[in-house]
Amino acid sequence: MTAMTVDSLPASADDAPATPRAPEAGAPQRSPFTLLLTVAPYIVLLGTFGFLVKRAAKTITNNDTYFHLRFGEEFLHGGWSLQHPGSVTTFGTNDWVPTQWLPQVVMAQMEDWFGLAGVAWLAGSLFILLAVTLWFVARRYAGPIPAVAVVVVALLAASPGLSMRPQVVSYVFVALTTAAWFRTSHDGKVRWWLVPLTWVWATAHGMWPIGLVIGAVALVGIALDRVVPRRIWLRHLLVLVLSAAATALTPVGPKLWSAVLLVNSRGTYFSEWQPAHFTKPYAVAFLVLACALLLRMMRRTTPASWTEALLVLLAGGWALYTARTVMVAAVMLVPFAAKAVQELARRRVAVSRREVGVVLAGAALSLVTLALVVPQTADEPPPDADWYAELDALPAGTVVLNDWTKGGYLMWRFPGLDLVSNGYGDIFTDQELERNFRMDATQPGWLRYVRQTGAEYALLAPGSYLEAELMDIADWRLVHRGDFVDLLVPPDDWPDSAPG
């Protein structure tokens, strides 16, 4: 059978050209209902921008944001290098590799220039960038109403990951990479820009291998669909190969690959790496996107292309893999869900320059508004307890046992303390992660590990198992209560008095 080229492919309903907008001259006057349908998607989209602005304009409470700020500060001013980063604690001795250094440095620089308000604005700019990216991806395959519906649902599915963390950069790049390869299966164009995009991705966040997997799966589909000649397919393969090679050419070097494998091997210690619970709202939103595709599959009379089918299956695999990759799956499904919902409409209106202008102007206005708001709403961290001054007065290097989940904020707020644990797992060896996990969950051996730390104080979540057990079993004393953490001190004869 002779291989089909892009030019020889028959037209299909999926790839039918969009209906151009009718000229305004001589056109009949629109009814109020028609006018409402015309402006409604843009009202919803601008409302979505407003919601994202409101989300970003709050006081920064995400603990992970603060350890990224602390790491960025160390890279900027603390003497860390990308080849030989240090550690924020003597209890984390792993020879680790920075995988998110670029956004960490940008975050810390924004804090230097504008305080936490600058960090909040940066978060909002990433949220708006993601929304705009998803809009244009969906809009390529659907009219304004189906497109905005898909974008809103996809953002709901991605909502647990929308905080000032570098992973939002990955969501944007996943959307761009999926859209690029899917478009390649239609037009056969070689998109060399994916190579520098992957390089930037590798400096920003550890999910960059997902982009390579998307490309590999798409290449298999393109080969099975036989939509390009073999020589063109080999050029597409070269894009993937060069993208993979580019990740070894960042300032970190080839060690980046081993760092990714290390992270994946430690998923048991982190809740976001566990399988998703599909009864939670964000997972239900993903299922809505999946159901749209299922309904389309049941309705259509011709089979989907291999490329589309394989990419959809890949997205489903990411959703089943871990809770944190449900967000990846959601943004991957945007072009396919948009096509599915579009089939319910009579026609797809082409994107006009006016529409592009409205969307971009709305995004710009949102960022200007956010810049005006955050100095009043997000320039301060969560309020200090009155007794935090006592911690500020402690000698540098004082060992403090702390709640694992609170370590990010505590390391930023008290940089001179030697905190035992935090949520940035890369800096810990496997044995150190096991120690932290056992202490935090008061699993067998926890008290022995606490004793070995030599901790002179403890900052623990109110009502936590570790706090209760230290007080009941080891006679630690509660000195100060707080909304965020409580302060405990050991008995005078600690650690000699420790049981076991």
Side-chain angles (χ1 to χ4, degrees), residues 156-160 276-289 326:
L156 288 173
S159 59
H277 298 286
F278 283 91
T279 56
K280 293 189 175 182
Y282 77 93
V284 172
F286 168 79
L287 292 177
V288 170
L289 295 176
V326 171

Side-chain angles (χ1 to χ4, degrees), residues 77 239 280 297 336 339 358 407 435-436:
H77 308 299
V239 169
K280 293 189 175 182
M297 185 185 305
F336 313 111
K339 288 177 62 178
V358 167
R435 174 203 65 205
N436 295 349

Side-chain angles (χ1 to χ4, degrees), residues 113-466:
W113 287 340
F114 308 108
L116 289 178
V119 180
W121 184 87
L122 183 63
S125 68
L126 288 176
F127 300 168
I128 297 296
L129 175 62
L130 177 62
V132 170
T133 301
L134 295 181
W135 167 263
F136 283 110
V137 169
R139 194 62 182 84
R140 178 178 286 277
Y141 299 99
I145 294 177
V148 77
V150 169
V151 169
V152 169
V153 175
L155 287 172
L156 288 173
S159 59
L162 295 184
S163 61
M164 186 56 259
R165 296 174 61 185
Q167 64 192 19
V168 183
V169 177
S170 278
Y171 302 157
V172 174
F173 285 176
V174 165
L176 290 173
T177 302
T178 303
W181 282 110
F182 186 45
R183 191 63 184 163
T184 294
S185 72
H186 291 95
D187 61 18
K189 292 182 179 178
V190 182
R191 290 173 164 81
W192 297 106
W193 56 264
L194 285 168
V195 178
L197 181 141
T198 306
W199 184 91
V200 174
W201 195 348
T203 69
H205 191 246
M207 281 187 179
W208 55 266
I210 290 177
L212 301 181
V213 175
I214 291 171
V217 169
L219 279 174
V220 172
I222 292 170
L224 293 173
D225 290 328
R226 306 180 71 185
V227 295
V228 295
R230 185 171 180 271
R231 61 182 179 82
I232 301 298
W233 187 89
L234 290 175
R235 291 182 186 176
H236 295 313
L237 177 62
L238 182 60
V239 169
L240 185 63
V241 172
L242 291 177
S243 297
T247 64
L249 299 177
T250 71
V252 172
K255 293 188 296 183
L256 199 60
W257 284 83
S258 62
V260 171
L261 297 176
L262 179 66
V263 170
N264 290 337
S265 69
R266 296 167 157 205
T268 55
Y269 297 110
F270 301 95
S271 59
E272 64 183 10
W273 284 98
Q274 305 307 308
H277 298 286
F278 283 91
T279 56
K280 293 189 175 182
Y282 77 93
V284 172
F286 168 79
L287 292 177
V288 170
L289 295 176
C291 285
L293 291 170
L294 181 61
L295 289 174
R296 178 172 181 257
M297 185 185 305
M298 296 171 62
R299 286 166 50 91
R300 68 184 301 161
T301 57
T302 58
S305 69
W306 277 106
T307 307
E308 180 176 353
L310 290 176
L311 287 174
V312 169
L313 286 173
L314 178 62
W318 290 127
L320 295 174
Y321 179 41
T322 68
R324 74 177 310 194
T325 48
V326 171
M327 298 85 185
V328 170
V331 297
M332 278 191 67
L333 286 186
V334 165
F336 313 111
K339 288 177 62 178
V341 178
Q342 174 59 34
E343 290 190 353
L344 301 176
R346 289 178 299 175
R347 61 191 179 94
R348 175 167 64 91
V349 178
V351 182
S352 68
R353 290 185 178 181
R354 178 182 299 178
E355 179 181 355
V356 172
V358 167
V359 173
L360 294 182
L365 179 62
S366 299
L367 294 181
V368 171
T369 302
L370 184 61
L372 296 175
V373 169
V374 287
Q376 285 74 45
T377 62
D379 197 38
E380 296 294 334
D384 283 357
D386 294 338
W387 47 269
Y388 278 15
E390 298 178 23
L391 299 175
D392 291 326
L394 292 175
T398 299
V399 177
V400 178
L401 177 67
N402 65 285
D403 187 280
W404 186 340
T405 61
K406 313 291 187 182
Y409 176 74
L410 293 174
M411 75 160 72
W412 176 84
R413 174 61 182 80
F414 304 106
L417 300 181
D418 192 9
L419 298 160
V420 172
S421 63
N422 62 72
Y424 201 86
D426 294 11
I427 67 174
F428 297 101
T429 65
D430 289 341
Q431 293 77 15
E432 290 163 352
L433 279 176
E434 179 69 16
R435 174 203 65 205
N436 295 349
F437 178 77
R438 286 187 176 274
M439 287 191 299
D440 199 66
T442 61
Q443 290 198 350
W446 70 271
L447 189 56
R448 171 172 54 86
Y449 285 126
V450 171
R451 188 169 58 242
Q452 289 174 354
T453 66
E456 305 171 59
Y457 298 88
L459 291 171
L460 302 174
S464 65
Y465 287 121
L466 182 54

